[in-house]
């Protein structure tokens, strides 16, 4: 449903000598977002869309300014925001051209870990993305760093920080599983997870790596580029194996970590 419903339009502009992207809420989207949020809830997505255009603008601007301080970001009339264009190219495009490298995946994990340690001004709750798939991660070759973009679907507020952060990793890995060349997923996931390197979040991620149920199947199909069931099961098994291996290699064992909780 998220793939089919484009809530916002995006177009390039120039503002005060800088290249920006203007995102604008399409008219009448409130009637579409309400049933969309019902699907997201029933499919246990852990995210939601903003029914209120003003609240979406607040979240998009606050998240962009948190992660990219000093970059141009402003509210526009008519339900829009203008955000400075960031250097880099999305991981999905790099992968499609066969140019995705372990270094890019490691940089993406480092950026997610950095972002997960931040809090919005006036809040003590760690930030999370909500839709951290490959298209929403840019890699800047010149700076050898990754950047997160597109902040439209926040996590449900009742989730713990660990659950939200694990879900960001999960969404990234599902997308990677659907796009990775044959035989590459295990190695690529291992590079990404080792670079992220937070045992508490990897433990939370481990609980997500099991076969989907009910409407989860439709959501996971979208997030994994519609992997057939057998290939999805194999991918989940590879991801579990990588997470467990990293946890076993960590100074705190899986059993010890559970005992402390």
């Amino acid at each position: 449903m998220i793939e089919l419903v484009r809530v916002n339009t995006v177009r390039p502009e120039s503002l005060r000598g800088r290249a920006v992207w203007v995102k604008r809420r399409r008219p009448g989207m409130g009637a579409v977002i309400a049933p969309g949020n019902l699907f997201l809830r029933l499919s246990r997505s852990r995210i939601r869309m903003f029914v209120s255009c003003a609240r979406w603008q607040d979240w998009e601007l606050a998240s962009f300014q948190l992660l990219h301080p000093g970059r141009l970001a402003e509210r526009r009339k008519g339900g829009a925001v203008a955000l400075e264009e960031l250097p880099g190219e999305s991981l999905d495009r790099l992968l499609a051209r066969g140019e995705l490298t372990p270094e890019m995946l490691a940089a993406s994990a480092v950026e997610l870990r950095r972002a997960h340690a931040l809090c919005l001004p006036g809040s003590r709750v760690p930030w999370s993305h909500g839709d951290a798939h490959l298209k929403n991660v840019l890699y800047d070759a010149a700076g050898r760093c990754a950047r997160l973009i597109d902040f439209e679907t926040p996590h449900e507020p009742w989730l713990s920080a660990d659950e939200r952060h694990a879900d960001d990793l999960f969404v990234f890995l599902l997308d990677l599983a659907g796009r990775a060349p044959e035989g590459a997923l295990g190695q690529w996931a291992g590079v990404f997870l080792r670079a992220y390197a937070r045992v508490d979040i990897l433990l939370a991620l481990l609980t997500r790596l099991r076969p989907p149920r009910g409407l989860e199947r439709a959501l996971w199909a979208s997030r994994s580029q519609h992997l057939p069931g057998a290939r999805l099961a194999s991918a989940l098994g590879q991801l579990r194996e990588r997470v467990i291996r990293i946890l076993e290699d960590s100074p705190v064992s899986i059993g010890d970590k559970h005992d402390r909780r």
Side-chain angles (χ1 to χ4, degrees):
M1 194 163 190
I2 295 174
E3 286 184 331
L4 296 175
V5 178
R6 298 303 178 191
V7 173
N8 297 318
T9 62
V10 183
R11 64 188 179 90
E13 283 189 13
S14 179
L15 179 62
R16 297 195 287 278
R18 302 191 200 184
V20 300
W21 290 100
V22 176
K23 299 178 69 172
R24 187 177 304 276
R25 175 68 61 89
R26 293 171 56 196
M29 283 295 102
V32 175
I33 290 172
N37 278 338
L38 177 61
F39 168 77
L40 291 174
R41 179 170 62 82
L42 294 177
S43 62
R44 293 180 282 273
S45 71
R46 305 187 175 203
I47 61 173
R48 56 185 168 82
M49 294 181 280
F50 287 107
V51 177
S52 165
C53 182
R55 291 191 64 193
W56 157 65
Q57 290 173 293
D58 290 342
W59 175 255
E60 184 93 41
L61 290 169
S63 296
F64 187 89
Q65 291 166 333
L66 177 71
L67 269 62
H68 312 298
R71 299 283 183 175
L72 194 155
E74 67 178 36
R75 186 185 301 266
R76 289 280 186 90
K77 293 181 179 180
V81 296
L83 307 169
E84 184 173 345
E85 182 177 8
L86 300 172
E89 191 168 7
S90 64
L91 296 190
D92 69 316
R93 290 186 178 182
L94 291 164
L95 194 157
R97 294 202 306 267
E99 298 174 7
L100 187 67
T101 66
E103 179 185 24
M104 297 173 187
L105 292 168
S108 302
V110 168
E111 177 61 7
L112 269 171
R113 177 170 174 149
R114 181 189 77 87
H116 287 166
L118 301 175
C119 299
L120 290 171
S123 172
R124 306 178 80 176
V125 178
W127 182 90
S128 61
H129 189 288
D131 197 22
H133 54 72
L134 271 62
K135 186 178 289 187
N136 286 341
V137 183
L138 304 179
Y139 181 75
D140 176 11
R144 300 179 68 179
C145 64
R147 295 181 173 90
L148 301 174
I149 59 170
D150 283 348
F151 314 109
E152 299 179 5
T153 51
H155 282 108
E156 294 284 5
W158 49 265
L159 291 168
S160 70
D162 283 8
E163 289 172 317
R164 291 185 287 105
H165 295 162
D167 187 66
D168 278 346
L169 302 188
F170 176 69
V171 169
F172 186 96
L173 291 168
L174 266 189
D175 195 16
L176 188 66
R179 299 177 188 270
E182 186 73 27
L185 177 61
Q187 178 194 4
W188 283 4
V191 168
F192 175 80
L193 293 168
R194 287 188 183 279
Y196 186 82
R198 281 188 57 186
V199 170
D200 51 345
I201 308 305
L202 296 188
L203 280 165
L205 172 63
L206 196 58
T207 67
R208 300 294 309 281
L209 299 175
R210 43 90 183 136
R213 300 170 294 160
L215 278 179
E216 277 185 321
R217 294 186 182 94
L219 181 69
W220 289 31
S222 170
R223 287 178 165 176
S224 65
Q225 307 303 308
H226 301 278
L227 273 182
R231 289 185 59 192
L232 176 60
S234 174
L236 292 174
Q238 291 181 63
L239 294 174
R240 283 186 61 86
E241 179 184 340
R242 290 290 171 169
V243 173
I244 290 172
R245 187 179 303 174
I246 293 168
L247 290 171
E248 288 176 341
D249 291 343
S250 71
V252 181
S253 72
I254 297 175
D256 289 343
K257 186 67 178 180
H258 278 303
D259 290 342
R260 292 184 185 182
R261 286 190 164 187

